[in-house]
Amino acid sequence: MNQGEIAYLDNAATTPLHPEALAAMLPFLGDRFGNPSGVHAVARDARAALEEARDLVADCLGARPGEIVFTGGGTEADNLAITGLHARRGGTVVCPASEHHAVLHTVASLGGRVVPVTADGIVDFDALADALDDDVSVVSVMLANNETGTVQPLADIGALLREHAPNAVLHTDAVQAFPWLDVATLAASAPLVAVSAHKFGGPKGVGALVVREGVAVDPVIHGGGQERDRRSGTHNVAGIVGMAAAMRVTVEERERTVARVGTLRDRLADGLLAAVPGTRETGDRAAKVAGNCHLRFEGIESEALLILLDEAGVCASAGSACTSGAIEPSHVLTAMGIDSADALSSVRLSLGPTTSDDDVDLALKVVPEAVARLRGR
Ligand code: PLP
């Protein structure tokens, strides 16, 4: 997306609403306003749309319709998975140190165990095996990281759990993975899977948790018993319908998007590595999702760089949007063993389906100029 001279390279923070999602939502912001929990014609109309959306979302996630719980976003889906399962089964919850705060803080709130990751950001298998035992009830490992784009080997993690923690349920936060990876296949071994609509062209404040048959979670939000008692509250029908439309488009176009955006990302990363001395790439590119370009510019403070980039029309981020503003090294980079000054020199340029050649051209022009200016050259 190049709005005039703006290159939006913050798609891991949020994506623009896809036109098909908007079109699907509009009737539910207008005439089709029913509450799907009711019995009359207007309610039934909303319920039909809700269940149609559920079928589509289930299909895109490799789940059955009854296994989909609609939530108010990815954070809530992660909370429901971990807190909801722990409330039901007790035991110990475990996650790697590189998880999104939606998982990390939930695990901390339950007194859980946090295990280290390697320098490439992959879960340390020996440490994970050590943290597992019969008492472990939930292990939460994200499919793709929001800062570095690193993809975890979920099938291998599932196998480790079966060996060392036979009572554990695997939850995966697939919020950042869904735009790029076939979550239906890659997360098939995880009984709990969280997604969030606004990361793939849907609206903000809507998400879903797959709760596979045979796994029960206690609700985190209590009330009228919607979503088969797993998540109460009147359904956000427009949001859910918009999420389903965005999911369909994402899945239909994913292969083409990954190929096209991956090429753009490589041009951007390789171009900046060549043009800016003292630049390092975070993580192993071969293990990252196609839209992630995460670089560290030696001697630079990313907060200052982001201001110059913003002035020059490049929207980027220094880490996850949830923590930007706090000038602390990212917990993800720290977990990878990157020291504080190095971590504070990092910038995430995240591409998406709407990213164009012009966006990359602008970043390739602006970033080297801004870094040179900050270095006083
Ligand atoms: N998990 C990951 C990996 C994310 O990147 C995000 C959003 O940044 C979330 C969870 C939270 O999702 P939401 O913004 O829908 O609450």
Side-chain angles (χ1 to χ4, degrees):
M1 177 173 52
N2 195 303
Q3 301 171 324
E5 279 300 292
I6 294 261
Y8 181 75
L9 294 171
D10 204 12
N11 287 273
T14 197
T15 53
L17 193 64
H18 193 285
E20 287 197 30
L22 177 62
M25 291 170 75
L26 284 175
F28 300 94
L29 300 168
D31 292 347
R32 300 179 68 182
F33 59 85
N35 181 337
S37 298
V39 291
H40 49 64
V42 174
R44 287 198 308 273
D45 173 59
R47 187 156 67 247
L50 177 70
E51 294 314 322
E52 202 180 304
R54 192 187 305 280
D55 289 349
L56 191 51
V57 168
D59 199 37
C60 293
L61 290 172
R64 299 198 183 114
E67 296 175 328
I68 300 298
V69 180
F70 290 122
T71 67
T75 301
E76 190 194 313
D78 283 333
N79 274 262
L80 176 58
I82 300 165
T83 305
L85 200 118
H86 181 263
R88 179 63 68 117
R89 295 195 184 183
T92 304
V93 300
V94 176
C95 76
S98 56
E99 289 295 300
H100 189 275
H101 283 134
V103 166
L104 210 52
H105 289 170
T106 305
V107 167
S109 77
L110 299 169
R113 294 179 192 148
V114 177
V115 298
V117 297
T118 65
D120 271 335
I122 306 287
V123 179
D124 181 328
F125 271 58
D126 291 337
L128 180 57
D130 283 348
L132 298 178
D133 56 37
D134 288 353
D135 187 54
V136 173
S137 52
V138 192
V139 177
S140 186
V141 181
M142 72 205 318
L143 190 47
N145 186 272
N146 46 301
E147 293 190 35
T148 63
T150 301
V151 178
Q152 299 289 349
L154 214 58
D156 296 343
I157 291 165
L160 197 78
L161 258 59
R162 284 193 291 281
E163 195 182 333
H164 296 279
N167 301 317
V169 171
L170 179 61
H171 166 56
T172 191
D173 173 335
V175 167
Q176 292 288 340
F178 192 81
W180 311 107
L181 303 175
D182 178 7
V183 170
T185 304
L186 290 173
S189 65
L192 299 166
V193 183
V195 292
S196 172
H198 74 105
K199 308 292 185 178
F200 53 86
K204 292 163 187 60
V206 191
L209 179 69
V210 174
V211 182
R212 294 200 204 277
E213 242 172 66
V215 176
V217 289
D218 278 357
V220 169
I221 297 177
H222 302 270
Q226 288 89 343
E227 295 297 283
R228 291 165 54 183
D229 254 342
R230 294 169 294 187
R231 199 280 188 181
S232 287
T234 301
H235 290 95
N236 175 359
V237 180
I240 290 167
V241 166
M243 172 165 70
M247 248 189 188
R248 184 178 50 72
V249 176
T250 300
V251 169
E252 278 171 11
E253 295 180 357
R254 193 152 48 197
E255 230 177 279
R256 279 192 302 278
T257 303
V258 167
R260 190 184 71 79
V261 176
T263 304
L264 285 177
R265 186 276 311 273
D266 290 347
R267 185 160 79 83
L268 178 62
D270 292 338
L272 292 176
L273 285 163
V276 185
T279 304
R280 270 165 304 168
E281 188 170 7
T282 311
D284 172 10
R285 202 186 299 174
K288 282 152 136 340
V289 293
N292 181 282
C293 173
H294 193 286
L295 301 172
R296 309 191 314 276
F297 301 101
E298 201 184 336
I300 293 295
E301 281 179 11
S302 59
E303 293 297 318
L305 180 56
L306 289 178
I307 292 168
L308 290 187
L309 296 186
D310 188 26
E311 279 171 6
V314 173
C315 301
S317 161
S320 72
C322 315
T323 52
S324 68
I327 314 204
E328 279 172 17
S330 130
H331 72 278
V332 175
L333 303 184
T334 303
M336 292 165 71
I338 295 172
D339 72 37
S340 172
D342 196 0
L344 288 170
S345 74
S346 70
V347 168
R348 178 188 71 184
L349 300 152
S350 51
L351 296 74
T354 59
T355 304
S356 66
D357 268 304
D358 288 348
D359 295 326
V360 170
D361 288 342
L362 188 63
L364 285 172
K365 174 176 168 293
V366 161
V367 176
E369 285 171 1
V371 172
R373 199 171 136 196
L374 290 173
R375 285 179 176 161
R377 281 180 232 142

